[in-house]
Short mmCIF file of all heavy atoms in Angstrom, two decimals:
data_model
loop_
_atom_site.label_atom_id
_atom_site.label_comp_id
_atom_site.label_asym_id
_atom_site.label_seq_id
_atom_site.Cartn_x
_atom_site.Cartn_y
_atom_site.Cartn_z
N ARG V 47 83.06 98.92 93.31
CA ARG V 47 83.16 100.04 94.25
C ARG V 47 82.65 99.63 95.67
O ARG V 47 81.65 100.04 96.16
CB ARG V 47 82.25 101.19 93.78
CG ARG V 47 82.57 102.48 94.56
CD ARG V 47 81.71 103.62 94.25
NE ARG V 47 80.44 103.44 94.98
CZ ARG V 47 79.43 104.26 94.96
NH1 ARG V 47 79.48 105.32 94.18
NH2 ARG V 47 78.37 104.01 95.60
N THR V 55 90.43 98.23 89.25
CA THR V 55 89.69 97.68 88.06
C THR V 55 88.53 98.52 87.69
O THR V 55 88.27 98.77 86.52
CB THR V 55 89.21 96.21 88.40
OG1 THR V 55 90.34 95.47 88.73
CG2 THR V 55 88.53 95.64 87.23
N GLN V 70 86.66 110.18 73.98
CA GLN V 70 87.54 111.02 74.78
C GLN V 70 88.45 110.13 75.55
O GLN V 70 88.04 109.27 76.25
CB GLN V 70 86.74 111.85 75.74
CG GLN V 70 85.85 112.89 75.15
CD GLN V 70 85.23 113.69 76.27
OE1 GLN V 70 85.73 114.77 76.64
NE2 GLN V 70 84.15 113.20 76.83
N LEU V 101 57.85 121.76 102.43
CA LEU V 101 57.63 122.58 101.21
C LEU V 101 57.27 121.65 100.05
O LEU V 101 57.34 120.42 100.20
CB LEU V 101 58.94 123.32 100.85
CG LEU V 101 59.38 124.32 101.94
CD1 LEU V 101 60.73 124.87 101.56
CD2 LEU V 101 58.39 125.43 102.07
N ALA V 106 58.90 119.20 87.38
CA ALA V 106 59.49 119.65 86.15
C ALA V 106 60.92 120.18 86.33
O ALA V 106 61.78 119.94 85.53
CB ALA V 106 58.57 120.65 85.49
N CYS V 112 59.20 126.61 96.55
CA CYS V 112 58.98 127.51 97.70
C CYS V 112 58.92 128.97 97.20
O CYS V 112 59.35 129.31 96.10
CB CYS V 112 60.06 127.33 98.77
SG CYS V 112 61.66 127.26 98.15
N LYS V 144 71.26 118.43 87.36
CA LYS V 144 70.94 117.69 86.14
C LYS V 144 71.08 116.17 86.44
O LYS V 144 71.92 115.81 87.21
CB LYS V 144 71.83 118.06 84.98
CG LYS V 144 71.52 119.41 84.39
CD LYS V 144 72.35 119.65 83.13
CE LYS V 144 71.95 120.92 82.50
NZ LYS V 144 72.59 121.10 81.25
N GLN V 163 72.72 99.02 105.41
CA GLN V 163 72.79 97.62 105.76
C GLN V 163 74.17 97.06 105.74
O GLN V 163 74.64 96.40 106.71
CB GLN V 163 71.89 96.80 104.85
CG GLN V 163 71.56 95.40 105.38
CD GLN V 163 70.51 94.73 104.56
OE1 GLN V 163 70.22 95.11 103.42
NE2 GLN V 163 69.81 93.81 105.19
#
Side-chain angles (χ1 to χ4, degrees):
R47 195 187 76 181
T55 302
Q70 293 184 96
L101 299 173
C112 45
K144 285 187 176 187
Q163 196 170 21

